Amino acid sequence: MRITIIAALALFVAVGFRFTGFTDGPATAAEQDEIVAACQAPEHRQFDFWLGDWQVTDTAGQVVGTNQITRVASGCGVLENWRSANNGNEGTSLNGYDPRAGVWRQTWYGFGLHLDLEGGIEDGRMVLSGERQTQQGKVVDRISWTPLDDGRVHQVWEASQDDGKTWGVLFDGMYAPR
């Protein structure tokens, strides 16, 4: 239900209203077509390698979860639905390319955690990063997704508590099609 609401809101915002400050009212059919066409630009396809229904394993090859990645909002967004194999925890992210800023953005909710990340393609991989506050202070998160020649995707989530001087790996996983 929550995911359906997120997808519906994203579609409503992306297609139903103009982005000229606050809403000026419903977009015309021509404006809607223009918005949808803009989301077909090559930049909006940079994360397409992550689309799919995945089984995710850790570095030891143990299944840690499943992840379904789909396009939403007339192709303007990428929706992630994670489910842990260990405890049934779930998480969701909404991802999209922001043409005004020239960056990809991700908002993640799950495991009692909220992440706001941004970035883009670096050396053939998607790299998104952002800051969050914890009881121990500021943490910088950096997550990368690397498409592999065999159709799998390698994801590494790193965190730093010293503004990026040193990094620790929080998650190192391999995505394989289910």
Side-chain angles (χ1 to χ4, degrees):
M1 174 82 174
R2 177 177 42 180
I3 292 160
T4 302
I5 292 170
I6 291 170
L9 285 172
L11 178 62
F12 182 72
V13 170
V15 176
F17 287 92
R18 293 178 231 157
F19 287 108
T20 56
F22 290 103
T23 59
D24 293 342
T28 66
E31 288 170 329
Q32 289 177 357
D33 289 344
E34 186 178 315
I35 291 167
V36 171
C39 291
Q40 303 307 313
E43 295 83 6
H44 289 274
R45 301 275 113 17
Q46 291 175 330
F47 218 173
D48 280 3
F49 67 84
W50 195 34
L51 298 174
D53 187 10
W54 304 97
Q55 177 174 285
V56 184
T57 57
D58 62 15
T59 56
Q62 297 296 311
V63 175
V64 294
T66 59
N67 214 348
Q68 293 180 325
I69 316 299
T70 57
R71 282 218 154 272
V72 294
S74 300
C76 295
V78 175
L79 182 67
E80 171 189 19
N81 291 300
W82 166 262
R83 182 169 186 87
S84 172
N86 302 324
N87 53 23
N89 281 338
E90 297 179 341
T92 299
S93 75
L94 185 58
N95 305 264
Y97 181 73
D98 180 346
R100 289 186 179 153
V103 298
W104 273 84
R105 298 188 193 278
Q106 179 184 89
T107 298
W108 160 270
Y109 289 96
F111 317 124
L113 185 64
H114 169 232
L115 299 176
D116 281 317
L117 309 173
E118 69 176 41
I121 296 292
E122 296 178 12
D123 299 321
R125 61 191 178 122
M126 180 64 72
V127 180
L128 304 177
S129 61
E131 297 178 358
R132 62 185 160 96
Q133 289 297 319
T134 69
Q135 291 178 344
Q136 292 77 31
K138 181 177 78 169
V139 173
V140 179
D141 293 290
R142 178 174 64 194
I143 305 176
S144 64
W145 296 260
T146 305
L148 304 177
D149 292 338
D150 62 4
R152 296 178 304 154
V153 174
H154 183 207
Q155 179 184 353
V156 178
W157 176 7
E158 300 169 290
S160 173
Q161 293 183 323
D162 58 10
D163 282 322
K165 293 181 184 104
T166 61
W167 294 91
V169 174
L170 299 181
F171 178 76
D172 189 344
M174 194 66 67
Y175 285 62
R178 288 201 302 169

